[in-house]
Amino acid sequence: MKDLLNLFAAVALLVWGTQLVRTGVLRAFGSNLRQVLAHSLGNRFTAALSGIGVTALLQSSTATSLMTSSFVGEGLITLPDALAVMRGADIGTALMVVLFSFDLSWLSPLFIFAGVVLYLSRQDTLAGRIGRVLIGLGLILLALQMVMASAAPLLATPAVRALLSSVGSDLPTEIILGMVLAVMAYSSLAVVLLIAALAASTMISLEVALGLVLGANLGSGMAAVLTTAKSAVEVRQVSIGNLLFKMLGVALMAPCVGLWLR
């Protein structure tokens, strides 16, 4: 029971860390990020590059989608340019997952210590907001360590082993589950990092993990659609178009899961 609670706590800490990074970056550089997006839309290639950069900073393609949707609603950019930004945002999320998959555990105490010192000493300044970002990054790395540590004893119990061995791979179910998790966490990055940690600890198989990752990508698009459900038509076009692109990507990649495993 204690190990299960530790796992839940680690998941909550992972989600909270991504939220801290997102809000910290928005408070510190929000207006500058809006200017970068607005000024990089001369062509779709630079728009995609700005989407990669902004999402890497925000740790959330959903946040990038909402920011871009607001630009379309204000008539500042066209829908095709906004969708190009969102393709870059998806790449930005994937790059951050790859970065966090390396062993950066040694950075966790450094980030948390430096972040707390900056935040407590200068809360209302730029340094304090950067401190908030550092705390979030440190908590993400700490949470990933906790996931690995708490999953190991759970996996050793006969009940969990029997349960996992009895669950066969069902790709549609995995995609739906991954989507629901990403919507609930409001962060596909946090969910994919969690899935990767569980797969690394062999708590779930690689085949199941890939299905959940496909669903998590859909979930980030669905979260943006739900958030903008009551907005103007122009705003909703971005999130719906982004979700359609994600659905197309899942449809193209789902048949390749077996090939990737081989």
Side-chain angles (χ1 to χ4, degrees), residues 167-181 191 195 204-216 218 254 257 261:
V167 177
S169 178
D170 181 15
L171 188 59
T173 302
E174 293 157 7
I175 291 174
I176 293 173
L177 178 58
M179 181 178 69
V180 171
L181 289 174
V191 172
I195 294 167
I204 59 176
S205 67
L206 181 57
E207 186 175 5
V208 171
L210 291 175
L212 292 172
V213 167
L214 290 177
L218 278 183
V257 170
L261 290 172

Side-chain angles (χ1 to χ4, degrees), residues 100-160:
F100 281 119
S101 67
F102 291 104
D103 183 13
L104 303 175
S105 56
W106 59 276
L107 283 174
S108 176
L110 178 63
F111 280 164
I112 293 176
F113 175 76
V116 169
V117 170
L118 286 174
Y119 182 74
L120 291 180
S121 61
R122 304 177 181 181
Q123 290 188 24
D124 298 326
T125 65
L126 177 62
R129 291 162 186 153
I130 292 175
R132 185 185 181 93
V133 174
L134 291 176
I135 293 172
L137 290 172
L139 290 181
I140 290 173
L141 297 173
L142 178 62
L144 291 174
Q145 296 176 62
M146 290 176 61
V147 168
M148 297 287 286
S150 56
L154 277 176
L155 188 61
T157 60
V160 173

Side-chain angles (χ1 to χ4, degrees), residues 22 55 59-66 69 86-94 97 175-192 195 212-228 238-247 250:
R22 184 184 314 154
T55 302
Q59 310 280 298
S60 172
S61 60
T62 303
T64 306
S65 174
L66 297 178
S69 298
M86 292 314 304
R87 302 288 59 75
D90 291 338
I91 297 173
T93 300
V97 171
I175 291 174
I176 293 173
L177 178 58
M179 181 178 69
V180 171
L181 289 174
V183 171
M184 291 176 61
Y186 206 70
S187 172
S188 61
L189 174 65
V191 172
V192 173
I195 294 167
L212 292 172
V213 167
L214 290 177
N217 280 279
L218 278 183
S220 65
M222 182 61 70
V225 169
L226 294 175
T227 304
T228 59
V238 178
S239 55
I240 293 174
N242 181 43
L243 178 60
L244 290 175
F245 272 115
K246 288 176 180 289
M247 292 173 66
V250 170

